[in-house]
Amino acid sequence: MSTITDWSAGYMSEIGYLYGYYSELNPLRLRLALLNCGIVPPPVIGHACELGFGQGISVAIHAAASPTQWYGTDFNPSHAAFAQELVARSGSEAKLYDEAFEEFCRRDDLPDFDYIGLHGIWSWISDENRAHIVDFLKRKLKVGGVLYISYNTLPGWAEFAPIRHLMVLHSDVLGGGDKGQGVIGRIEQAMDFTDRMFATKPAFARDNTQIAKRLEKLKKQNKHYLAHEYFNRNWDPMHFAAMADWLQAAKLNFACSAHYLNSVDDINFTKEQQALIQEISDSTFAETVRDFMVNQQFRRDYWIKGARKMTRLEQSEQLAGTRVILQVPREDAALRANGSLGQVKMHEQIYTPILDFLSDYKPHSLGEIVAVASKHDVSQAQVMEVAMVLGGTNQLALAQDAALVSRCKKRTDKLNRHLMRMARTSGDVHALASPVSGGGFILDRFQQMFAMAYSEGLRDTPEWAKFAWGFLRSQGQRILREGKRLESEEDNLAELNTLAATFKTKLLPVLKAFEVI
């Protein structure tokens, strides 16, 4: 039984994609990354487009939480229908379609875009569809416009690619007799066979020692994710230079990584590695060497049509006016970051005064932060590194102007009410919309139900626990604690009360500051 349908063009369509929110798609984030490397950012993101938006959580949140007019397509009609419902609930008027890339990219009613985003989809489509996208970028991305694109990368996938081939081949050749198990059944059969093969100690496993660990991690991942990540007809990890060749036809220049931590060399490269990279004059070759240094598996990058370098004065002035806001409880702010060299501890004498200043959970300009930090002998360059590290660890967000926050608040309130109501029955969606950050704020199912209880006027944590328990009980659902199901009402309520108390003391002040509730 083939998993491929005519309209899917080889992309996994038998089961839906996950309901993920991807903060890198938020156009507001690109400002800090571009300013950090001295590149002029677009002054305004008036029109934006997401190609391959999946369930549409990101595009719906970004359309509600910012003044940007969004467009997008995902060929899967069930994805598009869900995303369109989110848009209708918020009233954002984003225009989302269920068209294939070729059909969408040829529409004659689309504006020129300041920003176009693709998350992951590039790795799972055919060269024909890549050509349609590149042509679209050439015609529809404005001069000075930004492309965000993420994709599976070599050399990081080189070792695992044969295993992916083996599993897909097993699914295609031997998975047809699953007797109604569907794609999930075929995936489980393929992984079980791979396990059995490795138990025989093949030479491939001996010569590729990291494969066994990756297979163990694979077994713990969501099967829907595995289906879309590994079991498409097309699966093409790509060297950075190959991506540069593709995008050259659209006149796009590489700007920088969209993953802030990649810009902090000291947590990713040894001094010897940094010295070697600095010797390289060609930027494409330098990025390729960096990928080998860290064995890169997944790149998240910004590309610009006509990148322009700023003077130091221009860079300093624009950075000074950039507003940021702390998005974690001050007491939970971690002075650690995971880079390619492992977990690195940050200097308390640099981070503490900055975090203390931000602990009022109000937006502050980087210029204000520099002024405060200078009293503690912290330089402007160190403040920038702090901003990149805290932003890269999702502890700091960029903030929109107050006028834009007010303009978007009604839409985010409407969308959040709908998403919180969804949390009564499932934990699929893990984000609500913030008009302050112009993007999503990550919350689990119980936190969303507590937020819903608060928004409905309940103020005591026992009330929030009872509120959440009512929905769980009515559906025969129970809480898992340390992998064990809590059966009694007393145990479930006790756990919910504990979670609600933490929510009240730690998350509630931050959610109010972000105007999520």
Side-chain angles (χ1 to χ4, degrees):
M1 174 181 173
S2 174
T3 65
I4 298 169
T5 58
D6 291 338
W7 55 268
S8 73
Y11 188 82
M12 175 60 64
S13 60
E14 191 170 330
I15 58 176
Y17 195 61
L18 302 181
Y19 294 79
Y21 170 74
Y22 306 103
S23 62
E24 293 90 350
L25 285 162
N26 182 354
L28 190 61
R29 291 185 80 260
L30 65 86
R31 178 177 175 82
L32 185 62
L34 294 181
L35 289 177
N36 181 62
C37 62
I39 293 178
V40 178
V44 177
I45 305 293
H47 293 90
C49 178
E50 185 179 348
L51 299 176
F53 54 67
Q55 297 287 359
I57 300 298
S58 297
V59 70
I61 286 177
H62 296 147
S66 76
T68 301
Q69 175 64 54
W70 278 85
Y71 293 74
T73 191
D74 191 283
F75 77 101
N76 190 317
S78 64
H79 291 174
F82 180 76
Q84 289 168 358
E85 180 183 6
L86 296 182
V87 167
R89 294 283 185 172
S90 72
S92 71
E93 298 183 356
K95 301 184 185 303
L96 306 181
Y97 302 91
D98 69 331
E99 297 171 345
F101 292 134
E102 179 180 10
E103 183 181 5
F104 178 81
C105 292
R106 289 180 178 174
R107 293 184 69 98
D108 60 7
D109 58 349
L110 300 176
D112 291 342
F113 295 105
D114 304 286
Y115 174 83
I116 295 174
L118 299 89
H119 186 75
I121 193 73
W122 182 268
S123 299
W124 306 327
I125 58 176
S126 65
D127 281 350
E128 180 183 2
N129 274 311
R130 292 189 184 109
H132 292 312
I133 290 172
V134 171
D135 178 67
F136 182 72
L137 294 169
K138 181 178 180 180
R139 291 184 295 105
K140 302 303 291 182
L141 185 63
K142 292 180 182 179
V143 172
V146 176
L147 166 70
Y148 163 73
I149 188 166
S150 61
Y151 58 101
N152 289 339
T153 309
L154 294 169
W157 278 103
E159 188 178 50
F160 196 78
I163 294 299
R164 181 264 173 188
H165 172 77
L166 177 74
M167 292 192 299
V168 172
L169 189 62
H170 183 281
S171 176
D172 289 345
V173 175
L174 301 179
D178 59 44
K179 298 181 179 179
Q181 290 185 59
V183 65
I184 298 300
R186 292 194 292 278
I187 289 172
E188 290 174 342
Q189 290 175 6
M191 292 180 69
D192 178 66
F193 176 83
T194 305
D195 260 351
R196 289 166 52 208
M197 185 190 76
F198 267 69
T200 69
K201 300 181 180 179
F204 178 84
R206 182 194 64 216
D207 295 341
N208 297 273
T209 57
Q210 297 302 309
I211 291 294
K213 292 180 182 178
R214 292 185 67 171
L215 282 172
E216 284 302 311
K217 289 177 64 176
L218 216 63
K219 288 189 233 178
K220 299 174 183 177
Q221 292 179 311
N222 184 294
K223 296 298 190 300
H224 286 238
Y225 165 77
L226 296 180
H228 288 268
E229 176 63 59
Y230 297 103
F231 286 81
N232 293 298
R233 177 196 297 162
N234 299 289
W235 187 84
D236 299 305
M238 190 171 290
H239 287 290
F240 174 81
M243 176 62 79
D245 286 342
W246 272 102
L247 297 180
Q248 183 179 26
K251 300 182 179 180
L252 286 164
N253 310 114
F254 174 70
C256 60
S257 173
H259 183 46
Y260 290 176
L261 293 182
N262 284 353
S263 70
V264 185
D265 284 351
D266 286 342
I267 69 174
N268 293 301
F269 305 103
T270 65
K271 296 300 181 184
E272 183 181 19
Q273 290 170 340
Q274 292 180 48
L276 179 62
I277 292 169
Q278 288 167 6
E279 292 177 10
I280 303 170
S281 59
D282 182 85
S283 60
T284 298
F285 189 67
E287 285 299 312
T288 302
V289 172
R290 288 169 69 97
D291 285 347
F292 271 87
M293 295 290 192
V294 302
N295 197 29
Q296 192 71 263
Q297 290 183 321
F298 190 66
R299 287 190 67 109
R300 291 165 278 183
D301 293 333
Y302 291 129
W303 296 72
I304 298 185
K305 185 177 285 188
R308 291 185 298 133
K309 279 288 187 179
M310 314 174 78
T311 66
R312 286 189 177 274
L313 177 59
E314 290 172 325
Q315 182 186 31
S316 179
E317 289 175 343
Q318 289 213 33
L319 281 169
T322 300
R323 303 198 324 155
V324 297
I325 181 171
L326 190 65
Q327 66 177 354
V328 294
R330 171 63 185 91
E331 61 270 29
D332 289 348
L335 301 186
R336 290 177 173 80
N338 291 317
S340 298
L341 297 179
Q343 190 177 85
V344 179
K345 192 176 187 303
M346 302 302 157
H347 298 291
E348 288 190 30
Q349 64 270 29
I350 295 174
Y351 280 73
T352 296
I354 295 174
L355 287 167
D356 288 345
F357 177 62
L358 293 170
S359 64
D360 61 359
Y361 306 117
K362 294 179 180 178
H364 292 283
S365 70
L366 288 174
E368 292 178 80
I369 297 172
V370 168
V372 169
S374 65
K375 299 174 183 178
H376 300 270
D377 297 321
V378 178
S379 69
Q380 181 178 2
Q382 289 172 319
V383 169
M384 271 308 301
E385 183 169 306
V386 170
M388 298 303 286
V389 170
L390 293 179
T393 52
N394 298 314
Q395 300 182 88
L396 191 75
L398 270 72
Q400 298 190 109
D401 292 336
L404 296 182
V405 174
S406 177
R407 180 176 165 185
C408 300
K409 183 72 164 67
K410 288 184 179 179
R411 293 202 302 260
T412 57
D413 284 348
K414 290 178 182 178
L415 178 59
N416 288 342
R417 279 196 294 271
H418 178 63
L419 294 174
M420 288 187 292
R421 287 181 66 82
M422 287 179 57
R424 297 175 305 164
T425 57
S426 80
D428 287 339
V429 179
H430 288 85
L432 298 180
S434 165
V436 174
S437 69
F441 195 103
I442 302 300
L443 292 170
D444 65 30
R445 181 188 180 190
F446 298 131
Q447 291 165 346
Q448 289 183 53
M449 286 197 283
F450 299 151
M452 182 179 179
Y454 182 87
S455 68
E456 294 189 0
L458 302 179
R459 292 293 180 265
D460 297 327
T461 53
E463 292 180 299
W464 301 349
K466 290 178 182 178
F467 180 85
W469 172 240
F471 295 117
L472 296 177
R473 180 178 55 192
S474 67
Q475 299 168 86
Q477 298 174 348
R478 297 294 184 268
I479 294 176
L480 290 176
R481 183 174 63 195
E482 297 178 356
K484 295 182 180 179
R485 177 182 164 103
L486 303 179
E487 295 295 345
S488 72
E489 178 170 340
E490 181 181 9
D491 287 344
N492 278 272
L493 277 172
E495 182 69 12
L496 286 168
N497 268 292
T498 299
L499 296 174
T502 301
F503 176 86
K504 183 175 184 177
T505 57
K506 291 190 174 184
L507 267 180
L508 187 58
V510 186
L511 292 178
K512 288 181 177 179
F514 275 72
E515 300 197 34
V516 173
I517 56 175

